[in-house]
Amino acid sequence: MSPRSQLEFCQKDTRHDHIQSAAKYEAAGELEHVKGIIKWGTDYLLKTFNSSADTIDSIVAQVGEGDTSKGPDANDHYCWMRPEDIDYTRPVYECHSCSDLASKMAASLAAASIVFKDSKTYSDKLVHGAKTLFQYGRLQRGRYSPGGTDPAIFYNSTGYWDEFLWGGSWLYFATGNSSYLQLATAPALAKHAGAFWGGPDYGVFSWDNKLTGSQVLLSRLRLFLSPGYPYEEILSTFHNQTGNIMCSYLPFFKSFNRTKGGLIQLNHGHVLREEKMASSANSLCRAELESRGLKWRSMRTFVDDMF
């Protein structure tokens, strides 16, 4: 099964790590290897829609299916095998209104365009695809996993406002077009994305929740570029929220349960998929601090300084 949502998330992690740590990868002789991994993913995403067009009306959202409740018919969850050995039918799920998927794909391509900025033709191709996807997602509103569909069973999406925030933020970093920043810093969008209230998934970065990543990314914007008025108020809010989220991961605050070995449990009893994502957000915040010559203080020092 090939849900774009999960592929986009894994690729996003690699892209941001490259942007933050390119010099280290180069020193280790792995820079081209990492860029090759990223390009494999972006080439795949570019094939799921008409990436040369200025406007689109559909995206291939999933190839294959995984629901085994209907019987023993072969599918991607019933039969675990090499793709080369697959001989059963794999249906293609095409989405005509999937704002969430389109916007997170746009974020992926925009981020990758920064990685490949030295390859202007390919970088421009990625930016064009990102713009097309984001426009499509904004115009044709809807979730990629409506009830009753196969994607809803395994990688359900509960909304698309956080993806608008995520896609707009990365497109601003990729293009410098202030219209994307105006969108990403609109208080109404932040409100719809859930930035101003808590809940069990607040601070849990996943394929279904891009709010935390957006908060960290926009905190970076404030730290490095400080665009000032009229963005400062909402960027300052995101910055403060990011600090609170990082603190919520500390054992002292007991915001989340932990295993006997100390592993944070962000999954609320579901399949263990979110812990890597919290680590990603945590590492991202740490990288931002260290890039500014600031120390990542110990948990104990963090807590002592707050009381």
Short mmCIF file of all heavy atoms in Angstrom, two decimals, residues 109-166:
data_model
loop_
_atom_site.label_atom_id
_atom_site.label_comp_id
_atom_site.label_asym_id
_atom_site.label_seq_id
_atom_site.Cartn_x
_atom_site.Cartn_y
_atom_site.Cartn_z
N LEU A 109 7.50 19.17 -1.64
CA LEU A 109 8.20 19.61 -2.85
C LEU A 109 8.88 20.95 -2.64
O LEU A 109 9.98 21.18 -3.14
CB LEU A 109 7.21 19.69 -4.01
CG LEU A 109 6.55 18.37 -4.44
CD1 LEU A 109 5.67 18.59 -5.66
CD2 LEU A 109 7.58 17.29 -4.73
N ALA A 110 8.23 21.84 -1.88
CA ALA A 110 8.84 23.15 -1.61
C ALA A 110 10.12 22.99 -0.80
O ALA A 110 11.14 23.63 -1.09
CB ALA A 110 7.84 24.03 -0.86
N ALA A 111 10.08 22.12 0.23
CA ALA A 111 11.27 21.89 1.04
C ALA A 111 12.38 21.28 0.20
O ALA A 111 13.56 21.65 0.30
CB ALA A 111 10.93 20.97 2.22
N ALA A 112 12.01 20.34 -0.68
CA ALA A 112 13.01 19.69 -1.53
C ALA A 112 13.63 20.67 -2.52
O ALA A 112 14.80 20.54 -2.88
CB ALA A 112 12.39 18.52 -2.28
N SER A 113 12.87 21.66 -2.94
CA SER A 113 13.42 22.65 -3.88
C SER A 113 14.58 23.41 -3.26
O SER A 113 15.48 23.86 -3.97
CB SER A 113 12.32 23.63 -4.33
OG SER A 113 12.00 24.56 -3.30
N ILE A 114 14.57 23.56 -1.95
CA ILE A 114 15.68 24.21 -1.24
C ILE A 114 16.90 23.30 -1.25
O ILE A 114 18.04 23.75 -1.43
CB ILE A 114 15.26 24.57 0.19
CG1 ILE A 114 14.06 25.51 0.18
CG2 ILE A 114 16.42 25.20 0.96
CD1 ILE A 114 13.45 25.78 1.54
N VAL A 115 16.66 22.00 -1.07
CA VAL A 115 17.76 21.03 -1.10
C VAL A 115 18.46 21.06 -2.45
O VAL A 115 19.69 20.99 -2.54
CB VAL A 115 17.21 19.61 -0.82
CG1 VAL A 115 18.31 18.56 -1.04
CG2 VAL A 115 16.65 19.51 0.59
N PHE A 116 17.67 21.21 -3.53
CA PHE A 116 18.22 21.14 -4.89
C PHE A 116 18.37 22.53 -5.52
O PHE A 116 18.32 22.67 -6.74
CB PHE A 116 17.31 20.27 -5.76
CG PHE A 116 17.31 18.83 -5.37
CD1 PHE A 116 16.27 18.30 -4.62
CD2 PHE A 116 18.37 18.00 -5.71
CE1 PHE A 116 16.27 16.97 -4.24
CE2 PHE A 116 18.38 16.66 -5.33
CZ PHE A 116 17.33 16.14 -4.60
N LYS A 117 18.60 23.54 -4.70
CA LYS A 117 18.70 24.90 -5.21
C LYS A 117 19.86 25.08 -6.18
O LYS A 117 19.86 26.00 -7.01
CB LYS A 117 18.82 25.89 -4.06
CG LYS A 117 20.06 25.69 -3.18
CD LYS A 117 20.05 26.63 -1.99
CE LYS A 117 21.27 26.39 -1.10
NZ LYS A 117 21.25 27.27 0.10
N ASP A 118 20.88 24.20 -6.10
CA ASP A 118 22.00 24.29 -7.03
C ASP A 118 21.69 23.66 -8.38
O ASP A 118 22.48 23.77 -9.32
CB ASP A 118 23.24 23.63 -6.43
CG ASP A 118 23.76 24.39 -5.22
OD1 ASP A 118 23.53 25.61 -5.15
OD2 ASP A 118 24.39 23.77 -4.34
N SER A 119 20.56 22.96 -8.46
CA SER A 119 20.09 22.38 -9.73
C SER A 119 18.84 23.13 -10.14
O SER A 119 17.72 22.69 -9.86
CB SER A 119 19.80 20.89 -9.57
OG SER A 119 20.92 20.20 -9.08
N LYS A 120 19.02 24.29 -10.76
CA LYS A 120 17.92 25.23 -10.96
C LYS A 120 16.73 24.62 -11.69
O LYS A 120 15.57 24.84 -11.31
CB LYS A 120 18.41 26.46 -11.72
CG LYS A 120 17.37 27.58 -11.80
CD LYS A 120 17.91 28.81 -12.48
CE LYS A 120 16.90 29.96 -12.41
NZ LYS A 120 15.58 29.60 -12.92
N THR A 121 16.98 23.85 -12.72
CA THR A 121 15.87 23.28 -13.49
C THR A 121 15.00 22.38 -12.63
O THR A 121 13.77 22.49 -12.64
CB THR A 121 16.40 22.49 -14.70
OG1 THR A 121 17.16 23.36 -15.55
CG2 THR A 121 15.26 21.88 -15.49
N TYR A 122 15.65 21.51 -11.86
CA TYR A 122 14.89 20.58 -11.02
C TYR A 122 14.23 21.33 -9.86
O TYR A 122 13.08 21.07 -9.50
CB TYR A 122 15.79 19.47 -10.49
CG TYR A 122 15.02 18.36 -9.81
CD1 TYR A 122 14.11 17.59 -10.53
CD2 TYR A 122 15.19 18.08 -8.45
CE1 TYR A 122 13.39 16.57 -9.92
CE2 TYR A 122 14.48 17.07 -7.84
CZ TYR A 122 13.58 16.32 -8.57
OH TYR A 122 12.86 15.31 -7.96
N SER A 123 14.95 22.28 -9.27
CA SER A 123 14.39 23.05 -8.17
C SER A 123 13.16 23.83 -8.63
O SER A 123 12.13 23.86 -7.93
CB SER A 123 15.45 24.02 -7.62
OG SER A 123 14.95 24.75 -6.53
N ASP A 124 13.23 24.43 -9.81
CA ASP A 124 12.09 25.17 -10.35
C ASP A 124 10.91 24.23 -10.61
O ASP A 124 9.74 24.62 -10.42
CB ASP A 124 12.47 25.88 -11.65
CG ASP A 124 13.40 27.08 -11.42
OD1 ASP A 124 13.54 27.49 -10.25
OD2 ASP A 124 13.97 27.58 -12.40
N LYS A 125 11.21 23.03 -11.05
CA LYS A 125 10.16 22.04 -11.31
C LYS A 125 9.43 21.69 -10.00
O LYS A 125 8.20 21.57 -9.97
CB LYS A 125 10.77 20.79 -11.93
CG LYS A 125 9.76 19.71 -12.29
CD LYS A 125 10.44 18.53 -12.95
CE LYS A 125 9.42 17.47 -13.37
NZ LYS A 125 10.07 16.31 -14.05
N LEU A 126 10.20 21.55 -8.93
CA LEU A 126 9.61 21.23 -7.63
C LEU A 126 8.76 22.38 -7.12
O LEU A 126 7.66 22.18 -6.59
CB LEU A 126 10.71 20.90 -6.62
CG LEU A 126 11.52 19.64 -6.91
CD1 LEU A 126 12.68 19.52 -5.91
CD2 LEU A 126 10.65 18.40 -6.84
N VAL A 127 9.24 23.60 -7.28
CA VAL A 127 8.47 24.77 -6.84
C VAL A 127 7.18 24.88 -7.63
O VAL A 127 6.10 25.15 -7.06
CB VAL A 127 9.30 26.07 -7.00
CG1 VAL A 127 8.41 27.29 -6.82
CG2 VAL A 127 10.44 26.09 -6.00
N HIS A 128 7.25 24.67 -8.94
CA HIS A 128 6.05 24.74 -9.78
C HIS A 128 5.03 23.71 -9.32
O HIS A 128 3.83 24.01 -9.19
CB HIS A 128 6.41 24.52 -11.25
CG HIS A 128 5.23 24.62 -12.17
ND1 HIS A 128 4.46 23.52 -12.50
CD2 HIS A 128 4.68 25.69 -12.81
CE1 HIS A 128 3.49 23.90 -13.31
NE2 HIS A 128 3.60 25.21 -13.52
N GLY A 129 5.50 22.49 -9.08
CA GLY A 129 4.59 21.44 -8.61
C GLY A 129 3.98 21.78 -7.27
O GLY A 129 2.79 21.55 -7.03
N ALA A 130 4.79 22.35 -6.38
CA ALA A 130 4.30 22.73 -5.05
C ALA A 130 3.22 23.80 -5.16
O ALA A 130 2.18 23.73 -4.48
CB ALA A 130 5.46 23.24 -4.20
N LYS A 131 3.43 24.80 -6.00
CA LYS A 131 2.44 25.86 -6.19
C LYS A 131 1.13 25.30 -6.75
O LYS A 131 0.03 25.67 -6.31
CB LYS A 131 2.99 26.93 -7.13
CG LYS A 131 4.10 27.79 -6.56
CD LYS A 131 4.57 28.80 -7.61
CE LYS A 131 5.64 29.72 -7.07
NZ LYS A 131 6.11 30.67 -8.11
N THR A 132 1.25 24.41 -7.74
CA THR A 132 0.07 23.81 -8.35
C THR A 132 -0.73 23.01 -7.33
O THR A 132 -1.96 23.13 -7.25
CB THR A 132 0.48 22.91 -9.53
OG1 THR A 132 1.15 23.68 -10.53
CG2 THR A 132 -0.73 22.22 -10.15
N LEU A 133 -0.05 22.21 -6.55
CA LEU A 133 -0.72 21.40 -5.53
C LEU A 133 -1.39 22.27 -4.48
O LEU A 133 -2.54 22.02 -4.08
CB LEU A 133 0.31 20.48 -4.85
CG LEU A 133 0.76 19.27 -5.63
CD1 LEU A 133 2.02 18.67 -4.98
CD2 LEU A 133 -0.34 18.21 -5.70
N PHE A 134 -0.69 23.29 -4.03
CA PHE A 134 -1.23 24.12 -2.95
C PHE A 134 -2.46 24.89 -3.44
O PHE A 134 -3.46 25.00 -2.72
CB PHE A 134 -0.16 25.09 -2.46
CG PHE A 134 -0.48 25.71 -1.12
CD1 PHE A 134 -0.55 24.92 0.02
CD2 PHE A 134 -0.69 27.07 -1.00
CE1 PHE A 134 -0.84 25.48 1.26
CE2 PHE A 134 -0.98 27.65 0.22
CZ PHE A 134 -1.07 26.85 1.36
N GLN A 135 -2.40 25.39 -4.66
CA GLN A 135 -3.56 26.09 -5.22
C GLN A 135 -4.75 25.14 -5.33
O GLN A 135 -5.89 25.51 -4.99
CB GLN A 135 -3.21 26.65 -6.60
CG GLN A 135 -4.37 27.30 -7.31
CD GLN A 135 -3.99 27.83 -8.68
OE1 GLN A 135 -3.76 29.01 -8.86
NE2 GLN A 135 -3.89 26.93 -9.67
N TYR A 136 -4.50 23.94 -5.81
CA TYR A 136 -5.55 22.92 -5.92
C TYR A 136 -6.16 22.62 -4.55
O TYR A 136 -7.39 22.55 -4.40
CB TYR A 136 -4.96 21.66 -6.54
CG TYR A 136 -5.73 20.40 -6.31
CD1 TYR A 136 -6.94 20.16 -6.98
CD2 TYR A 136 -5.25 19.43 -5.44
CE1 TYR A 136 -7.64 18.98 -6.77
CE2 TYR A 136 -5.95 18.26 -5.23
CZ TYR A 136 -7.14 18.03 -5.89
OH TYR A 136 -7.84 16.87 -5.67
N GLY A 137 -5.30 22.44 -3.55
CA GLY A 137 -5.79 22.14 -2.21
C GLY A 137 -6.62 23.26 -1.63
O GLY A 137 -7.61 23.02 -0.92
N ARG A 138 -6.26 24.50 -1.93
CA ARG A 138 -7.01 25.65 -1.41
C ARG A 138 -8.35 25.82 -2.12
O ARG A 138 -9.32 26.27 -1.51
CB ARG A 138 -6.16 26.92 -1.59
CG ARG A 138 -4.90 26.97 -0.76
CD ARG A 138 -5.18 27.32 0.68
NE ARG A 138 -5.64 28.70 0.82
CZ ARG A 138 -6.24 29.17 1.91
NH1 ARG A 138 -6.48 28.38 2.93
NH2 ARG A 138 -6.62 30.44 1.96
N LEU A 139 -8.39 25.47 -3.41
CA LEU A 139 -9.61 25.68 -4.18
C LEU A 139 -10.61 24.54 -4.06
O LEU A 139 -11.82 24.76 -4.01
CB LEU A 139 -9.26 25.90 -5.66
CG LEU A 139 -8.50 27.18 -5.99
CD1 LEU A 139 -8.14 27.21 -7.47
CD2 LEU A 139 -9.32 28.41 -5.62
N GLN A 140 -10.12 23.32 -4.05
CA GLN A 140 -11.02 22.16 -3.99
C GLN A 140 -10.93 21.53 -2.61
O GLN A 140 -10.19 20.56 -2.39
CB GLN A 140 -10.66 21.16 -5.10
CG GLN A 140 -10.92 21.74 -6.48
CD GLN A 140 -10.66 20.78 -7.62
OE1 GLN A 140 -10.20 21.16 -8.69
NE2 GLN A 140 -10.96 19.50 -7.43
N ARG A 141 -11.70 22.08 -1.68
CA ARG A 141 -11.60 21.70 -0.27
C ARG A 141 -12.16 20.30 -0.02
O ARG A 141 -13.18 19.90 -0.57
CB ARG A 141 -12.34 22.71 0.60
CG ARG A 141 -11.86 24.16 0.46
CD ARG A 141 -10.53 24.38 1.14
NE ARG A 141 -10.04 25.74 0.94
CZ ARG A 141 -10.27 26.75 1.79
NH1 ARG A 141 -10.99 26.56 2.89
NH2 ARG A 141 -9.77 27.94 1.55
N GLY A 142 -11.47 19.59 0.85
CA GLY A 142 -11.93 18.26 1.24
C GLY A 142 -10.80 17.44 1.83
O GLY A 142 -9.62 17.78 1.68
N ARG A 143 -11.16 16.36 2.52
CA ARG A 143 -10.17 15.44 3.08
C ARG A 143 -9.91 14.29 2.11
O ARG A 143 -10.80 13.86 1.40
CB ARG A 143 -10.65 14.87 4.42
CG ARG A 143 -10.79 15.90 5.51
CD ARG A 143 -11.20 15.26 6.85
NE ARG A 143 -12.44 14.53 6.74
CZ ARG A 143 -12.57 13.22 6.89
NH1 ARG A 143 -11.50 12.46 7.11
NH2 ARG A 143 -13.75 12.64 6.80
N TYR A 144 -8.68 13.78 2.13
CA TYR A 144 -8.35 12.70 1.20
C TYR A 144 -8.89 11.37 1.67
O TYR A 144 -8.93 10.40 0.91
CB TYR A 144 -6.83 12.64 0.99
CG TYR A 144 -6.10 11.60 1.82
CD1 TYR A 144 -5.61 10.43 1.26
CD2 TYR A 144 -5.91 11.79 3.19
CE1 TYR A 144 -4.94 9.49 2.01
CE2 TYR A 144 -5.25 10.86 3.95
CZ TYR A 144 -4.76 9.70 3.36
OH TYR A 144 -4.10 8.77 4.12
N SER A 145 -9.37 11.30 2.92
CA SER A 145 -9.82 10.03 3.48
C SER A 145 -11.23 10.13 4.04
O SER A 145 -11.43 9.98 5.25
CB SER A 145 -8.85 9.58 4.58
OG SER A 145 -8.77 10.58 5.60
N PRO A 146 -12.22 10.39 3.18
CA PRO A 146 -13.59 10.45 3.69
C PRO A 146 -14.03 9.08 4.21
O PRO A 146 -13.44 8.05 3.87
CB PRO A 146 -14.40 10.87 2.47
CG PRO A 146 -13.58 10.45 1.29
CD PRO A 146 -12.16 10.61 1.73
N GLY A 147 -15.05 9.07 5.03
CA GLY A 147 -15.49 7.82 5.65
C GLY A 147 -15.82 6.74 4.63
O GLY A 147 -16.39 7.01 3.57
N GLY A 148 -15.44 5.52 4.96
CA GLY A 148 -15.72 4.39 4.10
C GLY A 148 -14.65 4.05 3.10
O GLY A 148 -14.70 2.99 2.46
N THR A 149 -13.65 4.91 2.95
CA THR A 149 -12.57 4.64 2.00
C THR A 149 -11.44 3.88 2.69
O THR A 149 -11.31 3.91 3.91
CB THR A 149 -12.00 5.94 1.41
OG1 THR A 149 -11.45 6.73 2.47
CG2 THR A 149 -13.10 6.72 0.70
N ASP A 150 -10.64 3.19 1.89
CA ASP A 150 -9.53 2.43 2.45
C ASP A 150 -8.54 3.32 3.21
O ASP A 150 -8.09 2.95 4.30
CB ASP A 150 -8.82 1.66 1.34
CG ASP A 150 -7.93 0.54 1.87
OD1 ASP A 150 -8.45 -0.52 2.24
OD2 ASP A 150 -6.71 0.77 1.93
N PRO A 151 -8.17 4.51 2.69
CA PRO A 151 -7.24 5.36 3.45
C PRO A 151 -7.75 5.74 4.83
O PRO A 151 -6.96 5.93 5.76
CB PRO A 151 -7.10 6.59 2.55
CG PRO A 151 -7.39 6.11 1.18
CD PRO A 151 -8.47 5.08 1.36
N ALA A 152 -9.07 5.86 4.99
CA ALA A 152 -9.62 6.26 6.28
C ALA A 152 -9.36 5.22 7.36
O ALA A 152 -9.31 5.55 8.56
CB ALA A 152 -11.12 6.50 6.14
N ILE A 153 -9.16 3.98 6.97
CA ILE A 153 -8.95 2.90 7.95
C ILE A 153 -7.56 2.97 8.56
O ILE A 153 -7.38 2.74 9.75
CB ILE A 153 -9.16 1.53 7.28
CG1 ILE A 153 -10.56 1.43 6.67
CG2 ILE A 153 -8.93 0.40 8.29
CD1 ILE A 153 -10.79 0.17 5.86
N PHE A 154 -6.58 3.34 7.75
CA PHE A 154 -5.19 3.21 8.19
C PHE A 154 -4.48 4.55 8.41
O PHE A 154 -3.68 4.69 9.33
CB PHE A 154 -4.40 2.37 7.18
CG PHE A 154 -5.02 1.02 6.94
CD1 PHE A 154 -5.76 0.76 5.81
CD2 PHE A 154 -4.89 0.02 7.90
CE1 PHE A 154 -6.35 -0.48 5.60
CE2 PHE A 154 -5.48 -1.22 7.71
CZ PHE A 154 -6.21 -1.47 6.55
N TYR A 155 -4.72 5.52 7.55
CA TYR A 155 -4.06 6.82 7.66
C TYR A 155 -5.10 7.93 7.54
O TYR A 155 -5.03 8.77 6.65
CB TYR A 155 -2.97 6.96 6.60
CG TYR A 155 -1.84 5.98 6.77
CD1 TYR A 155 -1.75 4.86 5.97
CD2 TYR A 155 -0.90 6.16 7.79
CE1 TYR A 155 -0.72 3.93 6.14
CE2 TYR A 155 0.12 5.25 7.97
CZ TYR A 155 0.20 4.14 7.14
OH TYR A 155 1.21 3.23 7.32
N ASN A 156 -6.06 7.90 8.44
CA ASN A 156 -7.15 8.85 8.37
C ASN A 156 -6.68 10.27 8.63
O ASN A 156 -5.80 10.52 9.46
CB ASN A 156 -8.22 8.48 9.40
CG ASN A 156 -9.46 9.35 9.27
OD1 ASN A 156 -9.94 9.57 8.16
ND2 ASN A 156 -9.96 9.84 10.37
N SER A 157 -7.27 11.20 7.91
CA SER A 157 -7.00 12.62 8.11
C SER A 157 -8.24 13.27 8.71
O SER A 157 -9.35 13.07 8.23
CB SER A 157 -6.65 13.29 6.78
OG SER A 157 -6.55 14.69 6.93
N THR A 158 -8.05 14.04 9.77
CA THR A 158 -9.18 14.66 10.45
C THR A 158 -9.45 16.10 10.00
O THR A 158 -10.46 16.69 10.38
CB THR A 158 -8.95 14.67 11.98
OG1 THR A 158 -7.72 15.33 12.27
CG2 THR A 158 -8.89 13.24 12.52
N GLY A 159 -8.55 16.68 9.21
CA GLY A 159 -8.76 18.05 8.76
C GLY A 159 -7.62 18.50 7.88
O GLY A 159 -6.66 17.77 7.66
N TYR A 160 -7.73 19.73 7.36
CA TYR A 160 -6.71 20.22 6.44
C TYR A 160 -6.16 21.59 6.80
O TYR A 160 -5.27 22.09 6.14
CB TYR A 160 -7.24 20.25 5.01
CG TYR A 160 -8.59 20.92 4.83
CD1 TYR A 160 -8.74 22.30 4.91
CD2 TYR A 160 -9.72 20.15 4.56
CE1 TYR A 160 -9.97 22.91 4.73
CE2 TYR A 160 -10.96 20.75 4.37
CZ TYR A 160 -11.09 22.13 4.46
OH TYR A 160 -12.30 22.72 4.29
N TRP A 161 -6.65 22.22 7.86
CA TRP A 161 -6.18 23.56 8.20
C TRP A 161 -4.70 23.56 8.59
O TRP A 161 -3.95 24.48 8.25
CB TRP A 161 -7.03 24.14 9.33
CG TRP A 161 -8.46 24.28 8.96
CD1 TRP A 161 -9.50 23.46 9.34
CD2 TRP A 161 -9.05 25.28 8.11
NE1 TRP A 161 -10.68 23.89 8.77
CE2 TRP A 161 -10.43 25.01 8.02
CE3 TRP A 161 -8.53 26.38 7.41
CZ2 TRP A 161 -11.31 25.79 7.27
CZ3 TRP A 161 -9.40 27.15 6.67
CH2 TRP A 161 -10.77 26.86 6.61
N ASP A 162 -4.27 22.55 9.34
CA ASP A 162 -2.87 22.48 9.74
C ASP A 162 -1.97 22.28 8.53
O ASP A 162 -0.83 22.78 8.48
CB ASP A 162 -2.65 21.36 10.77
CG ASP A 162 -3.14 20.01 10.29
OD1 ASP A 162 -4.27 19.94 9.77
OD2 ASP A 162 -2.40 19.02 10.43
N GLU A 163 -2.47 21.56 7.51
CA GLU A 163 -1.70 21.38 6.29
C GLU A 163 -1.60 22.68 5.49
O GLU A 163 -0.60 22.94 4.83
CB GLU A 163 -2.30 20.27 5.43
CG GLU A 163 -1.86 18.87 5.81
CD GLU A 163 -2.78 18.25 6.86
OE1 GLU A 163 -3.78 18.90 7.24
OE2 GLU A 163 -2.49 17.13 7.31
N PHE A 164 -2.64 23.52 5.54
CA PHE A 164 -2.55 24.83 4.91
C PHE A 164 -1.42 25.65 5.55
O PHE A 164 -0.66 26.34 4.88
CB PHE A 164 -3.87 25.59 5.05
CG PHE A 164 -4.96 25.13 4.13
CD1 PHE A 164 -6.28 25.48 4.37
CD2 PHE A 164 -4.69 24.35 3.01
CE1 PHE A 164 -7.30 25.08 3.52
CE2 PHE A 164 -5.70 23.93 2.15
CZ PHE A 164 -7.01 24.30 2.41
N LEU A 165 -1.35 25.55 6.87
CA LEU A 165 -0.30 26.26 7.61
C LEU A 165 1.08 25.72 7.23
O LEU A 165 2.03 26.48 6.98
CB LEU A 165 -0.56 26.09 9.11
CG LEU A 165 0.29 26.89 10.10
CD1 LEU A 165 0.14 28.38 9.87
CD2 LEU A 165 -0.12 26.53 11.53
N TRP A 166 1.20 24.42 7.16
CA TRP A 166 2.45 23.73 6.83
C TRP A 166 2.88 24.04 5.40
O TRP A 166 4.04 24.42 5.14
CB TRP A 166 2.23 22.23 7.02
CG TRP A 166 3.36 21.30 6.87
CD1 TRP A 166 3.42 20.23 6.02
CD2 TRP A 166 4.59 21.25 7.62
NE1 TRP A 166 4.59 19.54 6.18
CE2 TRP A 166 5.33 20.14 7.15
CE3 TRP A 166 5.13 22.04 8.63
CZ2 TRP A 166 6.58 19.81 7.66
CZ3 TRP A 166 6.37 21.70 9.13
CH2 TRP A 166 7.09 20.60 8.65
#
